[in-house]
């Protein structure tokens, strides 16, 4: 995003925002893409956290943080929202996953 002065963001999110209230076909298509992302992220987190509900929650958090950060970064032409979202997601993940024996908590 930095190389395009934050002009390039998520095309799925852009389409979803533009047509969700007016055109059912692209709305359904974007919802299906998001659902596939949620499913893939849920599987990834599910291999790392014990509870399926927590894995799904992390997946939703990741996608929603990224989509919001894309929008804010694009509006401000600044990648700081993306960095903040990344740090916030890392913290959520660290608090959700079980610690291994002898592992020290990491600073936020």
């Amino acid at each position: 995003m930095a190389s395009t002065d934050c002009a390039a963001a998520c095309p799925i999110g852009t389409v979803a925002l533009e047509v969700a209230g007016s055109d059912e076909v692209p709305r359904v298509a974007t919802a299906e893409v998001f659902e596939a992302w949620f499913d893939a992220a849920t599987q990834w987190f599910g291999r790392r956290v014990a509870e399926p509900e927590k894995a799904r929650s992390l997946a939703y958090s990741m996608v929603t943080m990224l989509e919001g950060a894309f929008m804010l970064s694009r509006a401000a032409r600044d990648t700081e929202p993306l960095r903040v979202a990344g740090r916030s997601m890392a913290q959520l993940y660290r608090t959700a996953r079980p610690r291994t024996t002898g592992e020290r908590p990491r600073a936020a």
Side-chain angles (χ1 to χ4, degrees):
M1 278 192 67
S3 66
T4 64
D5 199 22
C6 298
C10 176
I12 303 302
T14 300
V15 171
L17 287 171
E18 291 295 320
V19 300
S22 61
D23 194 333
E24 189 66 6
V25 173
R27 185 204 64 77
V28 169
T30 58
E32 289 172 353
V33 171
F34 283 128
E35 191 60 35
W37 292 352
F38 295 139
D39 290 345
T42 298
Q43 288 177 10
W44 190 90
F45 286 117
R47 292 189 297 273
R48 290 156 178 85
V49 299
E51 300 88 10
E53 303 83 23
K54 193 173 284 188
R56 189 69 170 180
S57 179
L58 286 167
Y60 272 102
S61 295
M62 183 183 72
V63 173
T64 57
M65 277 191 220
L66 279 173
E67 287 300 320
F70 285 143
M71 183 177 55
L72 293 171
S73 289
R74 191 171 187 186
R77 292 200 172 161
D78 183 359
T79 57
E80 181 62 13
L82 285 167
R83 288 189 292 275
V84 170
R87 288 190 300 265
S88 296
M89 193 61 225
Q91 182 60 35
L92 273 177
Y93 171 67
R94 281 192 297 268
T95 60
R97 71 180 178 88
R99 288 198 188 114
T100 59
T101 304
E103 182 181 2
R104 293 183 334 191
R106 292 172 54 180

